[in-house]
Amino acid sequence: METVILAVVIAVVVLGALGGLVIGSRRKKPLPPPPPAAPDITAPPAEPHVGDEAETPRDEPRRTIEEVDLPDGSAPVVVEEPPAPEIEIPEPTAGRLVRLRARLSRSQNALGKGLLTLLSREHLDDDTWEEIEDTLLTADVGVQPTTELVERLRERVKVLGTRTPEELRGLLREELLNLVGTDADRVVKTEPADRKPGIVMVVGVNGTGKTTTTGKLARVLVADGRTVVLGAADTFRAAAADQLQTWGERVGAYTVRGPEAGDPASVAFDAVKEGKEMGVDVVLIDTAGRLHTKTGLMDELGKVKRVVEKHAPLDEVLLVLDATTGQNGLIQARVFAEVVDITGIVLTKLDGTAKGGIVIAVQRELGVPVKLIGLGEGADDLAPFEPEAFVDALIGD
């Protein structure tokens, strides 16, 4: 019995010793390092030293520090503010068409040269006069003006007898001037005698250069010493307001704009209100050329006109037409004239492949004069229309 008890005691002692060895070995094994403490993202980084504003050169863009709390300890982001746009000095408008005459004549004098070539033939038979008619019609002069011009030319050539190049050129110049008209009032009305500002509304379909023309017209007025407010009432064409505002910033004109797809009449009303409060000379209102609503474009233009006239009567309603569209442009002109009283026409894209006869046709169609013409993409390529310079460009030197 004693032997059994002794064996049990020895076993217990052995097991206890083994347990101590295991525990000891576990205590000696190194523990993994604790994870790094999370950064304090609530504390802003130390503010860097920034010099005084007076130390910033005027001809460099101003630099500002935009503090960004980055957990990786990155440096603050430096953002450069764009410099304010420089105010440009537009080219004077006096004689602008004469200075652009070379550009106009390069693209337009095919009409004059073609007529002079036909009239210089030794025998002017019926076939030749038909060719003269075709030349005029191809140049978009229009059927009725063409008939009148050919009849007068036939009569005067018959009476003239001899036809030297100088005589033919003088004859053609006189007849074309009669058709274009030299006695029409082509001044853009912007100075009403009893109030300020003058109010000009610009209409036309998209794609004719309407918004660009409005911006260029602002340059024309600024060049003549006027102050201008622009109304971006074309709220349905993407970026139209941005485009107009950019034109205005170049010459220091303030632009009134509204939300995209907003009410055009509201923008036009606010533009005239701002113009009166600022005491400017002219308010130019750019209107929509199409709408994305069920309301008809012409109904919307009529509404804009009525709302603006709550301030004061419109001094000008300028219709912008693309000179390259020919008879399609005349159809557009008729539609607009039914809704708003067109007082003047602006013909754009009269360079390139345009046909000068459209000047005669559109004036005859609407009974209102062409007051401005666009001769290119340059900022100062919008010129007051001068009949003599235009006809001289048509027939060449």
Side-chain angles (χ1 to χ4, degrees), residues 142-212:
V143 176
Q144 187 62 31
T146 293
T147 301
E148 295 176 10
L149 178 58
V150 169
E151 288 178 355
R152 288 201 296 265
L153 285 173
R154 292 188 73 158
E155 182 178 352
R156 295 192 64 180
V157 168
K158 182 178 180 181
V159 173
L160 184 63
T162 58
R163 302 184 303 278
T164 65
E166 292 78 13
E167 289 172 330
L168 286 174
R169 187 181 184 283
L171 173 63
L172 185 58
R173 185 179 189 275
E174 288 180 18
E175 294 302 332
L176 286 173
L177 276 175
N178 286 334
L179 282 180
V180 172
T182 57
D183 55 352
D185 184 4
R186 301 183 187 275
V187 177
V188 178
K189 301 295 188 302
T190 57
E191 295 182 285
D194 56 342
R195 58 179 168 80
K196 287 178 71 173
I199 307 172
V200 179
M201 188 166 82
V202 184
V203 302
V205 300
N206 284 348
T208 59
K210 178 173 49 61
T211 300
T212 298

Side-chain angles (χ1 to χ4, degrees), residues 109-277:
N109 62 13
L111 168 61
K113 287 183 177 180
L115 292 176
L116 287 174
T117 300
L118 292 170
L119 290 171
S120 299
R121 289 181 179 178
E122 185 176 354
H123 299 288
L124 296 179
D125 53 17
D126 290 340
D127 291 338
T128 301
W129 287 110
E130 286 184 7
E131 288 184 54
I132 293 174
E133 286 186 357
D134 292 341
T135 300
L136 291 168
L137 291 173
T138 303
D140 289 331
V141 173
V143 176
Q144 187 62 31
T146 293
T147 301
E148 295 176 10
L149 178 58
V150 169
E151 288 178 355
R152 288 201 296 265
L153 285 173
R154 292 188 73 158
E155 182 178 352
R156 295 192 64 180
V157 168
K158 182 178 180 181
V159 173
L160 184 63
T162 58
R163 302 184 303 278
T164 65
E166 292 78 13
E167 289 172 330
L168 286 174
R169 187 181 184 283
L171 173 63
L172 185 58
R173 185 179 189 275
E174 288 180 18
E175 294 302 332
L176 286 173
L177 276 175
N178 286 334
L179 282 180
V180 172
T182 57
D183 55 352
D185 184 4
R186 301 183 187 275
V187 177
V188 178
K189 301 295 188 302
T190 57
E191 295 182 285
D194 56 342
R195 58 179 168 80
K196 287 178 71 173
I199 307 172
V200 179
M201 188 166 82
V202 184
V203 302
V205 300
N206 284 348
T208 59
K210 178 173 49 61
T211 300
T212 298
T213 297
T214 305
K216 290 183 178 182
L217 179 55
R219 294 180 64 89
V220 170
L221 294 170
V222 170
D224 290 340
R226 315 284 177 77
T227 53
V228 179
V229 162
L230 298 171
D234 186 355
T235 60
F236 295 92
R237 183 172 68 86
D242 292 336
Q243 181 183 358
L244 188 64
Q245 184 171 347
T246 299
W247 278 103
E249 289 174 347
R250 292 177 179 176
V251 293
Y254 178 68
T255 302
V256 176
R257 54 188 297 176
E260 186 175 345
D263 182 17
S266 176
V267 176
F269 183 87
D270 290 342
V272 178
K273 180 181 177 182
E274 288 282 347
K276 292 174 68 175
E277 293 176 353

Side-chain angles (χ1 to χ4, degrees), residues 5 30-31 37 42 55-56 70 78 119 160 166 177 180 198 232 277 286 289 293 314 316 319 322 348 351 361 380 388:
I5 294 173
L31 296 176
T42 61
E55 298 175 358
T56 303
L70 300 176
V78 179
L119 290 171
L160 184 63
E166 292 78 13
L177 276 175
V180 172
E277 293 176 353
D286 178 33
T293 66
L314 284 167
E316 286 277 7
L319 173 63
D322 183 340
T348 64
D351 57 334
D380 292 316
E388 290 83 0

